[in-house]
């Protein structure tokens, strides 16, 4: 415990400004999470949908086949009606602060 605490750090004009060169290890700490998420959005989801087999069944003597033909994944947004929101975009840090999930809507076209 400090015997003579000071506030010299917060009175420094550079307080709160990130240094020009960040610690490389800290910068790479969450890189694998970001890389994995970006892969899922850019390629993985498309590959998963392409690998789905069509569902076939009989209904009232008619054979029906369902297949996902297209999808759209919307970026995560602040919930509609949130007070004080100027921009609907939301980022993972804000989701952690709000105790919310970083989720977006997934729309699919189903051919039959």
């Amino acid at each position: 415990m400090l015997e003579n605490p000071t506030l010299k750090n917060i009175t420094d004009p550079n307080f709160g400004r990130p240094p020009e060169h960040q610690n490389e290890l800290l910068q790479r700490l969450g890189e694998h999470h970001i890389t994995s998420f970006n892969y899922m959005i850019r390629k993985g989801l498309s590959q998963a949908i392409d690998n789905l087999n069509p569902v076939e069944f009989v209904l009232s003597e008619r054979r029906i086949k369902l297949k996902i033909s297209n999808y759209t994944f919307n970026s995560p947004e602040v919930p509609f009606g949130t007070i004080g929101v100027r921009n609907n975009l939301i980022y993972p840090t804000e989701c952690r602060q709000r105790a919310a999930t970083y989720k977006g809507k997934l729309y699919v076209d189903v051919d039959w």
Side-chain angles (χ1 to χ4, degrees), residues 94-111:
E94 187 175 350
C95 288
R96 283 192 296 276
Q97 293 168 350
R98 290 176 178 266
T101 61
Y102 189 63
K103 62 182 178 180
K105 291 189 178 186
L106 175 67
Y107 296 96
V108 295
D109 294 335
V110 180
D111 292 340

Side-chain angles (χ1 to χ4, degrees), residues 1-106:
M1 185 167 183
L2 295 174
E3 292 184 23
N4 298 318
T6 67
L7 300 175
K8 70 178 183 179
N9 288 337
I10 62 172
T11 56
D12 182 357
N14 292 323
F15 178 73
R17 292 186 188 156
E20 285 185 34
H21 302 287
Q22 297 287 325
N23 181 320
E24 186 179 337
L25 293 175
L26 289 177
Q27 281 187 316
R28 293 189 354 216
L29 190 61
E31 184 177 348
H32 62 284
H33 292 287
I34 294 168
T35 304
S36 174
F37 181 82
N38 289 341
Y39 175 81
M40 188 266 305
I41 295 297
R42 293 182 183 136
K43 293 182 182 177
L45 191 56
S46 179
Q47 290 174 348
I49 288 175
D50 290 342
N51 286 326
L52 289 176
N53 292 325
V55 175
E56 295 184 35
F57 56 93
V58 176
L59 182 64
S60 300
E61 298 181 17
R62 288 186 152 184
R63 186 164 194 80
I64 298 178
K65 179 178 177 180
L66 301 176
K67 179 175 170 57
I68 295 176
S69 62
N70 192 18
Y71 76 94
T72 304
F73 183 75
N74 289 356
S75 298
E77 294 181 345
V78 175
F80 181 75
T82 304
I83 298 173
V85 173
R86 295 181 185 161
N87 186 345
N88 285 4
L89 294 178
I90 193 166
Y91 297 97
T93 301
E94 187 175 350
C95 288
R96 283 192 296 276
Q97 293 168 350
R98 290 176 178 266
T101 61
Y102 189 63
K103 62 182 178 180
K105 291 189 178 186
L106 175 67

